[in-house]
Amino acid sequence: MTSEKKQVVLLSLVGTAPAVLTETVWALAHENEAIIPDRVIAMTTSSGAALIREKLFKEGHWKKLLEDLGSQVEIGDRLRFGPISDSIRVFPDLSHSRELDDIRTAEDNEAVAEFFMEVIRSFVENDSIRLIVSIAGGRKTTSALLYSVMSLLGRADDEIHHILVDDQWIYQPDFMYPGCQGVFVDQNSGKSISSKGAKLQLVHVPFVPLRYLFERDLQRSAGSFVSLMNQVRNRTINVTDDLTIQLSTKTGELIVSGESINLSANEFLIYLYFARRVLDGLPSLGGYALIGDDLQDLRDEHLEEDDFSHWTQRSLTGSFEASEDTRKWISSIRGKLRRAGFENFQIDRLVPRGGHLAIELPKESVTIEA
């Protein structure tokens, strides 16, 4: 589905200035290619929610924004937003027993991060929705947390924005967007000024969608921001750890970074096959079925017919189905490495996996001894 056909949802962080929401909507509508979100959702504290309801709905600024925009661009039934909990979402504390009226402590920040995880995950799991996230409102730490969560969960066509306003309009409490009604006074001269001259600048904030690098971590995570961040951080920090593998075709033994891993004869054979591919400089395999008769040839190459205790004598006995059996053996190897104390990010490099059937180690880290 193309982005043009997707429902556009604007998630806006709002602090004590509801104008960041109206300014962002106005600026999006006045981009070279106008963007009119289908839905608008504000994320804020309980005090921020009260200000949104007061300024935008009781004072009528949201209705006036729709009227002014509607005279310039086609809105239709888009920009759905109201003084209800589905549109104005208030940060809960970690126990979800009360709403936060401010973000003061480390525990409050953790609660906000978990809230962002829950809200954003609910949208990014829907392929029919495109997210535009505004980090302009609220405290700096809150904006940083929202950016971090978007980096973990955001997709390639989602966007992060910040809104910049001319200095003289920042301190005008009734300024909502260029051309809005109100009485405005220049801070320096004391003279009346018109909001029509106000300038807004929508800043596109780039981010790296890490979900494409750590897809399985996202799927395994129960949703905890701290847990997921630690998983991704550990994988990133340790991605260049020195891992080594040694295989003995005499004994059928696998040693990984000094740790002996007890493999069955078939498991050793399939691991030997992928280790040979590393040394031969071959790319990731397209599928297990492509192995074909290669395992039988590899077994025959190392077969010692006079030694009935040799590991080759116990391999490939009976019927053999390349795709199903090799997948089963690979899965067993992963489990044995996990029980030996290796982390998932290490196992992903040591063992072929779905979508990347290869051992991700350089040649110099792989040794095969006769």
Side-chain angles (χ1 to χ4, degrees):
M1 179 177 291
T2 61
S3 61
E4 288 77 18
K5 295 181 180 179
K6 291 185 176 183
Q7 182 186 45
V8 177
V9 174
L10 170 63
L11 287 178
S12 181
L13 188 59
V14 180
T16 57
V20 298
L21 185 57
T22 52
E23 290 162 1
T24 300
V25 169
W26 183 273
L28 285 169
H30 288 85
E31 286 281 272
N32 290 333
E33 294 186 12
I35 301 174
I36 311 296
D38 295 274
R39 293 179 60 191
V40 177
I41 296 174
M43 300 180 292
T44 187
T45 60
S46 58
S47 55
L51 284 169
I52 291 172
R53 294 187 177 99
E54 177 69 29
K55 297 294 291 184
L56 299 190
F57 296 103
K58 288 185 179 180
E59 296 183 13
H61 289 292
W62 184 257
K63 180 181 179 181
K64 193 66 174 70
L65 168 70
L66 297 183
E67 291 174 356
D68 290 347
L69 269 183
S71 67
Q72 302 176 23
V73 296
E74 178 62 36
I75 293 178
D77 63 350
R78 291 172 291 176
L79 288 175
R80 297 190 297 275
F81 182 62
I84 56 176
S85 59
D86 190 50
S87 295
I88 305 172
R89 304 195 182 183
V90 180
F91 306 135
D93 70 350
L94 277 175
S95 66
H96 283 249
S97 61
R98 65 180 179 86
E99 295 180 340
L100 296 177
D101 63 349
D102 198 358
I103 315 299
R104 300 186 183 91
T105 67
E107 185 178 71
D108 291 343
N109 279 288
E110 183 180 350
V112 168
E114 300 300 345
F115 171 83
F116 288 152
M117 286 283 291
E118 179 181 344
V119 171
I120 292 174
R121 192 190 289 270
S122 70
F123 287 111
V124 299
E125 290 178 351
N126 187 338
D127 290 336
S128 67
I129 289 177
R130 174 187 169 211
L131 277 184
I132 295 179
V133 174
S134 169
I135 60 173
R139 296 187 180 276
K140 292 180 179 178
T141 50
T142 311
S143 296
L145 287 171
L146 181 52
Y147 181 88
S148 295
V149 172
M150 276 298 291
S151 294
L152 289 171
L153 301 180
R155 300 155 301 180
D157 63 345
D158 296 325
E159 296 180 5
I160 301 177
H161 289 281
H162 193 285
I163 190 73
L164 300 179
V165 188
D166 289 349
D167 289 345
Q168 67 176 339
W169 296 103
I170 294 176
Y171 304 105
Q172 303 283 348
D174 290 330
F175 176 75
M176 294 291 148
Y177 53 88
C180 69
Q181 295 179 347
V183 177
F184 308 107
V185 177
D186 185 273
Q187 299 290 314
N188 297 318
S189 67
K191 295 181 179 180
S192 177
I193 54 176
S194 171
S195 67
K196 291 182 179 179
K199 302 294 183 184
L200 300 179
Q201 183 179 356
L202 191 68
V203 179
H204 178 74
V205 183
F207 74 99
V208 178
L210 296 175
R211 67 179 300 119
Y212 300 111
L213 297 177
F214 306 106
E215 192 76 38
R216 280 165 301 154
D217 296 87
L218 296 176
Q219 293 170 351
R220 285 194 296 262
S221 173
S224 165
F225 172 77
V226 174
S227 174
L228 180 56
M229 184 62 77
N230 285 338
Q231 284 177 243
V232 173
R233 187 172 185 273
N234 285 339
R235 286 195 63 185
T236 304
I237 289 174
N238 294 286
V239 73
T240 57
D241 275 359
D242 291 331
L243 292 171
T244 61
I245 58 176
Q246 298 171 268
L247 298 98
S248 170
T249 59
K250 181 67 177 178
T251 63
E253 183 181 19
L254 168 66
I255 298 176
V256 179
S257 296
E259 185 79 21
S260 180
I261 309 298
N262 184 25
L263 301 183
S264 71
N266 288 328
E267 291 165 1
F268 181 82
L269 181 66
I270 188 64
Y271 204 76
L272 176 62
Y273 170 80
F274 280 105
R276 282 277 293 268
R277 290 182 65 85
V278 173
L279 294 179
D280 292 340
L282 297 175
S284 172
L285 201 63
Y288 288 118
L290 296 177
I291 295 175
D293 296 328
D294 292 347
L295 287 186
Q296 184 66 58
D297 294 340
L298 187 60
R299 173 190 180 274
D300 293 343
E301 177 185 336
H302 294 285
L303 178 64
E304 294 191 12
E305 296 181 352
D306 296 332
D307 184 357
F308 292 101
S309 65
H310 194 258
W311 64 271
T312 52
Q313 298 283 358
R314 303 187 304 278
S315 63
L316 301 187
T317 57
S319 60
F320 164 65
E321 205 284 311
S323 182
E324 188 60 35
D325 288 332
T326 51
R327 184 180 288 107
K328 177 180 63 177
W329 299 334
I330 288 294
S331 177
S332 177
I333 295 170
R334 292 185 70 87
K336 290 180 177 181
L337 285 169
R338 190 174 294 110
R339 289 190 291 275
F342 290 94
E343 300 287 346
N344 286 334
F345 63 85
Q346 295 172 312
I347 296 172
D348 284 346
R349 297 178 62 207
L350 290 166
V351 184
R353 62 186 188 276
H356 193 83
L357 298 183
I359 295 173
E360 295 182 1
L361 295 182
K363 291 181 181 181
E364 53 269 24
S365 297
V366 178
T367 303
I368 299 177
E369 301 172 346

